[in-house]
Amino acid sequence: MVKAANSRGTAPGTPPRTRILIVGGGYVGMYTALRLQRKLRTGEAEVTVVTPEPYMTYQPFLPEAAAGSISPRHVVVPLRRVLSKCRIVIGEAQRIDHAARTATVTTLATDEEGGGPVQIEYDELVLAPGSVSRTLPVPGLAEYAIGFKTVEEAIGLRNHVIEQMDIASSTRDPAIRDAALTFVFVGGGYAGVEALGELEDMARYAARYYHNVKPEDMKWVLVEASDRILPEVGPEMGTYTIRELRRRGIDLRLETRLESCENRVAVLSDGARFPTRTVVWTAGVKPHPILAASDLPKTDRGRIACTSFLTVEGVEHAWAAGDAASVPDITAPEKGTACAPNAQHAVRQAKVLADNLVSSLRGGLLTEYAHKYAGSVASLGLHKGVAHVYGRKLKGYPAWLMHRVYHLSRVPTLNRKTRVLAEWTLSGLFKREIVSLGSLEHPRAEFELAAGGGPKDPPKKSEG
């Protein structure tokens, strides 16, 4: 172990600056750091952000990125540009010892240096690592399925869908063709419904450029374990979404589970079997593993136990928000209700957390987090959507337009807002892009072949 350098008392007679460590660069991490660098006085504190990626992903735009409506680089916000007054450490927090005020972190350089993880000391901790995909022990899932939580997965899925259409167009084997044109999505929440809706819409459009692939040749299946989809938009809009998807020929199976996807065959709990080369897993999330590797109090569901002030229960100098935190919803009629782990709460919690942190440094009073859920919007493809906002229910084009307006207002920075709006404008004037750039996943393959070494297998990803 080595200790990372810090600047406490760097000059004689200079009072030590408070060291604030933010674990996570997602909604809460980025917005908290952004507000802190605006509100902190010069020399009052130093902010360090530890994050595995050098950017924040605006996840509501992932379905549109997968469908080609938005460029992937405009779905992410570069942290170094936005957080110019913060120290950005690209790495993974492995363990947090809050009693000792240290975080054990592995960076891109630790393996090269051979010195092991580094320890970052702090005075104030903001824990905002978000969540990871919740998987189940389904046979074949790890080998054949793909998630839909990162921009890499979204673009990989887009490339994969177009590649399957190319395979179906060129093969003479009916079994290979049917499997290539069968797409199974597991999970009826936002990620699953929006991803399926956008990609089905994109594939339907792309089919016009294939001489032997028609939209009706493709089979799209949505599997949901409960008896409803999109519960956030309410029963009425959820029922409308079911009707809309089935009208488009999508096979929607409620109260059904994926039992296996071994050997590229999706086996469902209702007995159905679908030979398929595409299984997309969007069946929920779970707390980030770093929470279990910390000495902070947790709920029975593994999230950090927080107060309504966004402090960690019973612990000083520790804060948490977002998916990783169980924050009391003081606006709920029933006591003990926690805020839903979604972006709507995360962005607003980050603002209150940053203000409370600054206030605590200056000996001021803290403010409780209170936000009554405003509603939800969801896209079902180009010009199609559902919305339930402030009691108003919308569907079709008005809901789709509200979806775009709402998320354009929420995506960080004027730079990204302008770029996204420009892309939407251009996509309305010109035809869709239906190009697959699958070679991006193995950029050295052609060079290795040309160099005489033959194609190499891609390096295996480490487990865990």
Side-chain angles (χ1 to χ4, degrees), residues 28 39 43 54 80 85 98 123 129 152 155 167 203-204 230 259 288 301 348 368 378 381 404:
V28 174
K39 302 201 73 172
R80 295 189 189 278
K85 297 180 181 179
H98 188 66
D123 301 303
E152 293 86 357
I155 304 312
I167 291 173
R204 179 182 294 274
L230 292 181
E259 298 285 356
H288 194 281
R301 294 191 175 183
R348 291 168 172 83
E368 286 188 294
R404 284 202 160 183

Side-chain angles (χ1 to χ4, degrees), residues 178-208:
D178 289 345
L181 294 180
T182 300
F183 307 94
V184 178
F185 287 68
V186 183
Y190 276 119
V193 172
E194 290 193 321
L196 184 149
E198 290 284 356
L199 284 166
E200 189 273 343
D201 200 51
M202 182 269 292
R204 179 182 294 274
Y205 174 85
R208 68 181 65 180

